[in-house]
Amino acid sequence: MKFPGILTKNILMETTGEISLPAQVKLLPGHCGLPKLVIQISHSSAEIYLHGAHITDFQKTGEPPLLFMSAASRYETNQPIRGGVPVIFPWFGPRAGQPAHGFARQTSWELESASVEKNGEVKVSLRLSETSMPADWRAAQLRFSVTVGDSLTMELSVTNRSPDKSLSFEDCLHTYFAIGDIADVSITGLQGAPYIDKVDGASTKQERGAAITFNSEVDRVFPNASGSVEIHDRKFHRTIVVEKSGSASTVVWNPWIAKSKAMADFGDEEFKQMICVESGNVGENQITLPPGKTARMKVILSSRRVE
Ligand code: BG6
């Protein structure tokens, strides 16, 4: 199968000019014909759209999906996908005259390599081509690698190719987790941390409870929060662990009732089935890269059953 724009370089087992992927990886048309990688190994499966390098599914065998996807998501070339893991770059949040959360999540990425690791995990690497980026961001070289195993490992790397200018940006892996019921979920790992409360005029507050629970809209940006976070889901009998490096900020978001209704690509009731715990470098943690340097953010998502 041939898809335009896909690099053949580094892909295992090329045959007769066509791209041959390892048997565990298939490149198929997804929603609205957008190409997606479908990865299947013995203990898990995953799907990644080239549009936005967007992971739309990761599921361990015998468990509910780890990632939430909205049934109302658009799959259009000039729109972000709603759910999964949007890759946010080079700014976080709205920006006048520009797409909210940056252009990376609504630009088509290229598959660079796909391989099976010695331990049976599958690793794919995507890159954002220079020509598909706005002219003033072409100094940035973006790669996103995804390793599918018993856990899901994501690494976003940004290299500043400029010979003489530094590069400042925000980035974020805006992960939507699937949960049994928002009323039965709590988040730990952020106790005592200061945060910017985006639903209260961006005022600065401090997380005081033993865990974050949800009974209204939550939109909190935690600067200088580089530790692991756990999502305790009593209905699914599951604890999800978010471990990370190279990420100084954590964002926790649930849109609740009014905002859900206001979003065209999100179901009115879907806020009950999702929670975003986002790993990034935003606001005061934005990154400034000297010429020639690379910033790497790695996020590992794992889960365990809890009785
Ligand atoms: C979160 C922001 O990261 O993303 C929220 O903190 C925002 O304020 C949410 O509403 C969703 O953004 P978007 O652009 O995907 O609708």
Side-chain angles (χ1 to χ4, degrees), residues 26-27 88 109 115 162 191-192 201 228 299-300 306:
K26 296 199 168 23
L27 188 51
I88 308 302
W109 293 52
S115 57
S162 167
Q191 298 96 315
S228 301
V299 180
I300 303 171
V306 182

Side-chain angles (χ1 to χ4, degrees), residues 193-196 204 220-226 248-250 282-285:
Y195 65 90
I196 296 156
T204 300
R220 301 181 186 172
V221 178
F222 295 84
N224 310 315
S226 53
S249 321
T250 299
V282 309
E284 67 180 81
N285 296 135

Side-chain angles (χ1 to χ4, degrees), residues 15-242:
T15 54
T16 61
E18 296 195 342
I19 298 166
S20 279
L21 299 167
Q24 295 86 338
V25 183
K26 296 199 168 23
L27 188 51
L28 300 170
H31 288 284
C32 302
L34 294 178
K36 67 175 181 185
L37 294 161
V38 178
I39 299 161
Q40 179 77 58
I41 59 172
S42 56
H43 35 270
S44 64
S45 59
E47 290 190 1
I48 308 167
Y49 275 73
L50 300 191
H51 179 62
H54 200 120
I55 305 171
T56 53
D57 186 34
F58 173 71
Q59 186 166 12
K60 275 163 59 174
T61 308
E63 265 198 22
L66 193 80
L67 302 174
F68 163 87
M69 274 304 302
S70 172
S73 176
R74 300 176 177 119
Y75 293 87
E76 292 168 28
T77 50
N78 59 350
Q79 297 284 343
I81 292 170
R82 176 72 68 193
V85 188
V87 176
I88 308 302
F89 176 91
W91 55 80
F92 180 81
R95 179 163 289 203
Q98 305 273 8
H101 284 330
F103 54 81
R105 65 174 176 167
Q106 53 194 69
T107 306
S108 187
W109 293 52
E110 295 175 332
L111 176 63
E112 197 173 41
S113 64
S115 57
V116 181
E117 309 289 283
K118 282 200 183 98
N119 59 5
E121 295 184 338
V122 166
K123 182 174 184 180
V124 300
S125 180
L126 300 107
R127 72 165 199 184
L128 197 50
S129 88
E130 203 178 329
T131 49
S132 57
M133 295 209 264
D136 46 348
W137 284 98
R138 287 188 186 157
Q141 181 179 64
L142 264 76
R143 283 207 162 78
F144 186 49
S145 74
V146 180
T147 306
V148 178
D150 196 44
S151 53
L152 181 71
T153 302
M154 307 177 282
E155 184 172 291
L156 181 67
S157 74
V158 182
T159 300
N160 179 8
R161 288 185 287 211
S162 167
D164 50 13
K165 290 194 185 66
S166 62
L167 176 74
S168 294
F169 61 88
E170 296 171 288
D171 61 6
C172 188
L173 297 175
H174 189 312
T175 311
Y176 289 71
F177 292 97
I179 53 169
D181 186 343
I182 191 70
D184 264 332
V185 158
S186 59
I187 291 180
T188 55
L190 293 160
Q191 298 96 315
Y195 65 90
I196 296 156
D197 191 350
K198 288 173 78 175
V199 296
D200 189 13
S203 52
T204 300
K205 299 183 180 173
Q206 190 178 13
E207 206 52 74
R208 296 209 177 273
I212 302 175
T213 52
F214 300 86
N215 53 21
S216 62
E217 183 182 352
V218 168
D219 194 354
R220 301 181 186 172
V221 178
F222 295 84
N224 310 315
S226 53
S228 301
V229 169
E230 293 199 345
I231 302 167
H232 307 278
D233 183 339
R234 283 168 288 283
K235 192 163 181 187
F236 277 172
H237 298 280
R238 176 164 77 175
T239 293
I240 297 170
V241 184
V242 182

Side-chain angles (χ1 to χ4, degrees), residues 262-274:
M263 290 192 288
D265 59 347
F266 191 82
D268 289 0
E269 301 287 322
E270 286 185 328
F271 71 93
K272 296 175 184 166
Q273 262 71 61
M274 55 72 66

Side-chain angles (χ1 to χ4, degrees), residues 287-302:
I287 290 174
T288 297
L289 265 186
K293 295 289 182 201
T294 297
R296 289 191 177 80
M297 165 166 54
K298 188 171 182 175
V299 180
I300 303 171
L301 308 179
S302 58

